[in-house]
Amino acid sequence: MEALIKYELVINEALQSALMYDTPEEQIFEFISFFGRHIGCDRFYIFEDNTKDHVTNNTYEWCAEGVSKEIQNLQCVDMDIISWWYETFDKGENIIIQDIESIKEVHPYTYHTLSKQNVKSLVVCPIRYKEEIHAFFGVDNPPVHEILGLVTFLDMIATMVVSFLKIRNAQIKTKREAKMSGYTALAQIYMSMHYVNVQTNQFHIVKIKDEILKFLGRDALNSKEYDIEDDFMLHMQRIHQRFCNPDYLVYALDFIDLNTLEERMKNHHSIDHVFYGKISGWCRSRFIPVDFDENGHLLHVLYCMENIDEQKKREDKLLYMAQTDTMTGICNRGTGEKMIERVLKNKVSGMMCLVDCDKFKSINDTYGHMVGDEVIIAIANTLQKSCRGKDVVMRLGGDEFAMFIPGVTQQKCAKTFFKRLFENVKKIQIDALEGKEIIISLGACIYDGHEDLSFDDLYYRADSAMYESKKKVGYSATIYRK
């Protein structure tokens, strides 16, 4: 999740940096230079294919300090030298070479071409437009630990590279028409995009979904025409009132307020707002500055909306995985410790328990690790079943678990809990154990809500009590005494 957020921030910064330049050539070079510096590679380049002559040309190249430029040597390169790259692209895959020596025997011509450029490793992605491959872009000698992550990163910016190339190719049009053509390509990754004059409230629809157009009582957009319309805020209010979930409507309308936009965008490359849509699920709207007037005031922005429903699901899944023990589904040690530390900081009294399975090693040795894993999962489920929703249940590792049960401060209540827990554990049935009983030992300590204690302090006390329990045969629970 953190990696995705990091990539989005870098992409937004690169886009903002590129849009500050006037010509497409400058924008493209700044765009790839930004990523080259960020990635820490030797080169970042774009090759464009001339299918008629069956050659590819290095049209843009950024090189790190001290790295020799190769762009002049890489013109009219025979596409057959890297024909296997195109075959890989046709499969919807990227080129990842972590060690160039690995292709020396299989692809000698490619190896020879790359080795002359002192390339040790590379990642290359295709640039597709209208279902055809027109070009590719990539990096030479990226940091080893970044290679696999780069694939996701480069895939995310591919559409933007297309957009800048389209802007360049549209130079025969007027400056405004060229920008709109590029924004149309960029808009492929969004549900809608508007080009907005912040100072006049006028706007141009670059892209918008058909169901929204139908709601507005309009026909499909004519991509060849550039229509300026009035009152962006009223236009968006109508759309949000129809398609935004009512619980998010007020905040969505505040976000599109152009009267406060310049102030909100100070020191930001972009600002965004997440809301829940009635049709599309989770969405993100974003303002990206395009240019400023002669006095330095914000003039034009792009207002984009994208569907992030799948991304939210992935983020929720990643968050769940980061917070839970993958085997059992209960809290992992890191998350559990933080939860207990928070309880201690708030001076919530209760009981800390450590639990482990007696003679667990013999179970693994006798029945195998798969049965051992089944025992761990069964104990975790039983602990959770024996606790309340507000109790903290965590796996510390191996067959060791911990619990914090708020409100249990009396020995009588503690013993009642131990009895219920032991009875539940006795009910565990695992066929592979052939009737062998699962036995647990427990060490506990009471926190009165007054002492300044840490998780480690409670753990030490409960562990001391566990040591006493382990001296006894069968189910045993000991409460720490000072």
Side-chain angles (χ1 to χ4, degrees):
M1 179 177 65
E2 292 178 357
L4 287 174
I5 295 173
K6 173 186 174 183
Y7 291 161
E8 285 187 352
L9 291 174
V10 172
I11 290 170
N12 286 330
E13 290 176 6
L15 178 60
Q16 167 63 15
S17 182
L19 290 175
M20 295 302 295
Y21 288 82
D22 292 328
T23 69
E25 296 287 340
E26 292 172 321
Q27 291 173 348
I28 295 171
F29 185 76
E30 174 58 21
F31 196 66
I32 67 171
S33 300
F34 191 102
F35 289 120
R37 293 190 296 268
H38 170 77
I39 293 169
C41 58
D42 281 359
R43 297 187 189 89
F44 195 118
Y45 44 79
I46 298 176
F47 278 74
E48 296 179 69
D49 300 337
N50 179 344
T51 54
K52 179 181 178 181
D53 296 330
H54 200 65
V55 295
T56 188
N57 299 290
N58 187 180
T59 51
Y60 299 93
E61 178 191 68
W62 170 87
C63 294
E65 186 175 352
V67 177
S68 62
K69 295 178 185 275
E70 292 289 343
I71 190 168
Q72 296 301 325
N73 302 323
L74 296 171
Q75 302 302 311
C76 297
V77 177
D78 190 338
M79 294 172 67
D80 286 339
I81 292 176
I82 50 172
S83 60
W84 64 281
W85 286 18
Y86 293 97
E87 292 170 3
T88 302
F89 294 158
D90 287 338
K91 297 175 184 177
E93 300 172 359
N94 302 313
I95 297 296
I96 305 172
I97 304 177
Q98 300 194 46
D99 183 359
I100 193 176
E101 296 300 320
S102 66
I103 68 168
K104 185 175 183 179
E105 301 298 328
V106 184
H107 303 291
Y109 294 115
T110 306
Y111 172 84
H112 179 68
T113 302
L114 295 175
S115 60
K116 287 196 303 184
Q117 304 167 49
N118 198 32
V119 177
K120 307 297 183 185
S121 61
L122 57 78
V123 177
V124 180
C125 297
I127 298 175
R128 299 182 176 92
Y129 179 62
K130 292 184 177 179
E131 306 301 322
E132 297 177 10
I133 299 172
H134 291 271
F136 58 84
F137 70 113
V139 297
D140 288 344
N141 302 333
V144 174
H145 65 280
E146 293 282 353
I147 287 180
L148 295 180
L150 273 177
V151 177
T152 300
F153 188 62
L154 295 178
D155 281 341
M156 291 172 70
I157 67 173
T159 300
M160 295 186 181
V161 175
V162 171
S163 73
F164 283 118
L165 293 176
K166 285 198 67 181
I167 292 174
R168 181 205 60 190
N169 293 339
Q171 281 186 337
I172 57 174
K173 300 179 182 179
T174 65
K175 182 178 179 180
R176 174 177 284 176
E177 290 172 335
K179 282 186 176 181
M180 289 308 107
S181 177
Y183 295 148
T184 299
L186 178 60
Q188 292 177 26
I189 64 174
Y190 295 105
M191 294 192 302
S192 68
M193 177 182 285
H194 293 70
Y195 181 74
V196 186
N197 187 316
V198 178
Q199 299 179 9
T200 65
N201 198 20
Q202 293 178 320
F203 66 97
H204 166 70
I205 301 175
V206 180
K207 176 184 178 181
I208 198 166
K209 295 187 73 173
D210 290 341
E211 56 260 47
I212 298 177
L213 276 176
K214 185 177 180 180
F215 162 70
L216 296 172
R218 300 177 52 169
D219 298 327
L221 295 177
N222 186 340
S223 60
K224 296 182 179 180
E225 295 181 3
Y226 181 79
D227 298 323
I228 297 177
E229 303 184 34
D230 295 321
D231 210 336
F232 167 76
M233 288 192 289
L234 179 61
H235 166 75
M236 290 308 307
Q237 284 172 12
R238 292 180 60 199
I239 293 173
H240 277 303
Q241 286 168 352
R242 173 65 179 270
F243 296 100
C244 182
N245 185 290
D247 293 338
Y248 297 84
L249 180 59
V250 172
Y251 304 103
L253 295 181
D254 284 343
F255 182 73
I256 63 172
D257 187 355
L258 297 183
N259 297 313
T260 62
L261 183 59
E262 183 171 15
E263 181 64 27
R264 286 184 285 139
M265 294 205 71
K266 279 186 177 179
N267 302 318
H268 294 286
H269 296 303
S270 69
I271 59 174
D272 60 63
H273 170 71
V274 174
F275 64 92
Y276 195 80
K278 296 178 182 178
I279 297 176
S280 303
W282 286 105
C283 302
R284 179 190 289 124
S285 55
R286 186 189 302 277
F287 279 112
I288 303 173
V290 173
D291 55 21
F292 299 81
D293 65 17
E294 61 274 12
N295 297 316
H297 292 295
L298 187 62
L299 181 57
H300 292 104
V301 295
L302 293 177
Y303 176 75
C304 312
M305 283 200 296
E306 58 184 318
N307 184 290
I308 60 169
D309 206 53
E310 288 300 319
Q311 178 183 326
K312 286 282 287 184
K313 291 176 182 176
R314 288 195 299 269
E315 290 175 357
D316 290 344
K317 183 178 180 180
L318 290 172
L319 182 61
Y320 173 80
M321 292 174 63
Q323 293 178 341
T324 58
D325 176 66
T326 54
M327 179 186 293
T328 64
I330 64 176
C331 291
N332 59 26
R333 180 168 190 143
T335 302
E337 280 193 32
K338 289 178 183 177
M339 294 172 70
I340 293 175
E341 289 284 6
R342 188 160 55 245
V343 168
L344 296 175
K345 183 178 180 181
N346 294 329
K347 302 296 184 183
V348 177
S349 61
M351 178 173 65
M352 169 86 158
C353 300
L354 294 183
V355 175
D356 69 20
C357 179
D358 292 355
K359 299 181 180 179
F360 180 72
K361 184 177 184 302
S362 69
I363 293 176
N364 269 338
D365 293 343
T366 304
Y367 301 97
H369 288 281
M370 290 184 66
V371 176
D373 291 349
E374 195 173 347
V375 170
I376 289 174
I377 293 169
I379 292 174
N381 291 338
T382 302
L383 295 181
Q384 203 162 38
K385 174 184 174 182
S386 303
C387 292
R388 304 161 298 183
K390 64 180 180 180
D391 301 338
V392 179
V393 182
M394 59 190 284
R395 183 185 178 204
L396 296 173
D399 64 320
E400 188 178 21
F401 299 85
M403 298 175 287
F404 187 87
I405 307 168
V408 176
T409 58
Q410 301 297 321
Q411 288 205 18
K412 182 179 180 181
C413 293
K415 290 178 179 179
T416 300
F417 172 76
F418 300 153
K419 181 180 179 181
R420 185 173 75 253
L421 175 61
F422 290 159
E423 289 175 350
N424 288 338
V425 172
K426 290 177 182 178
K427 296 176 183 177
I428 295 176
Q429 297 290 330
I430 296 178
D431 294 339
L433 291 181
E434 301 173 340
K436 179 179 175 62
E437 189 176 22
I438 296 173
I439 299 174
I440 64 171
S441 294
L442 186 150
C445 66
I446 302 294
Y447 172 63
D448 60 12
H450 299 296
E451 294 182 88
D452 288 327
L453 298 178
S454 66
F455 173 86
D456 289 338
D457 295 327
L458 292 186
Y459 181 90
Y460 173 78
R461 293 182 178 183
D463 192 49
S464 298
M466 172 70 82
Y467 180 76
E468 297 300 322
S469 293
K470 284 291 187 180
K471 294 179 181 179
K472 305 170 186 176
V473 178
Y475 293 94
S476 177
T478 305
I479 300 177
Y480 172 82
R481 295 180 186 274
K482 294 182 181 180

